[in-house]
Amino acid sequence: FPIKETAGVVWRVEPMHDYLVSNTKQSLWTLMGAVAFVLLIACANVANLLLARGSARHGELAVRAAIGAGRARLVRQLITEAIVLGLVGGVLGLMIAYASTAALIAARPADLPRLDEIGLDGTVALGP
């Protein structure tokens, strides 16, 4: 942006975004990519575990169906188990995020801007 001098004062206009995060922009994008990749791996692992668990329980579900459990009852049971597993995983994830954020703030890296504004946001954690 152009620099203008008026009455001995030099004016320089710079976008606020560049002023706040200019030297950490590449690091933040790299970190976001790494986090997205880890999340993708975690989701694939959970899906794989659910598939393996479902395959191993094939006999149990066949016995339940043989003694009179309807299809809706079996589906309800599996959905309930998946929801409980998801909620427990979510709570553990939030606890790990809280501990990691506290550890990051305690480390006080010099090149991290606006360190006092870092924290967990409840509206993001709870979802839409």
Side-chain angles (χ1 to χ4, degrees):
F1 291 93
I3 298 176
K4 185 174 182 181
E5 186 172 345
T6 308
V9 177
V10 176
W11 298 92
R12 185 177 71 135
V13 178
E14 182 178 351
M16 185 176 220
H17 184 266
D18 291 346
Y19 174 73
L20 292 175
V21 293
S22 64
N23 59 347
T24 59
K25 187 174 186 178
Q26 185 65 32
S27 300
L28 290 175
W29 278 109
T30 303
L31 181 63
M32 187 186 312
V35 167
F37 189 65
V38 168
L39 181 62
L40 179 68
I41 291 172
C43 288
N45 283 338
V46 168
N48 190 20
L49 287 173
L50 285 175
L51 284 173
R53 189 170 167 208
S55 177
R57 294 181 67 188
H58 181 72
E60 174 195 346
L61 294 176
V63 169
R64 287 180 184 266
I67 61 174
R71 183 180 299 260
R73 173 71 180 131
L74 294 174
V75 169
R76 260 195 327 263
Q77 177 186 352
L78 294 175
I79 289 176
T80 303
E81 290 176 3
I83 288 173
V84 169
L85 182 64
L87 287 175
V88 169
V91 168
L92 285 174
L94 286 174
M95 289 171 38
I96 291 170
Y98 181 76
S100 329
T101 304
L104 175 70
I105 293 172
R108 305 201 61 79
D111 60 343
L112 196 60
R114 300 167 39 190
L115 188 62
D116 54 336
E117 296 178 21
I118 295 176
L120 293 179
D121 187 1
T123 56
V124 173
L126 293 178

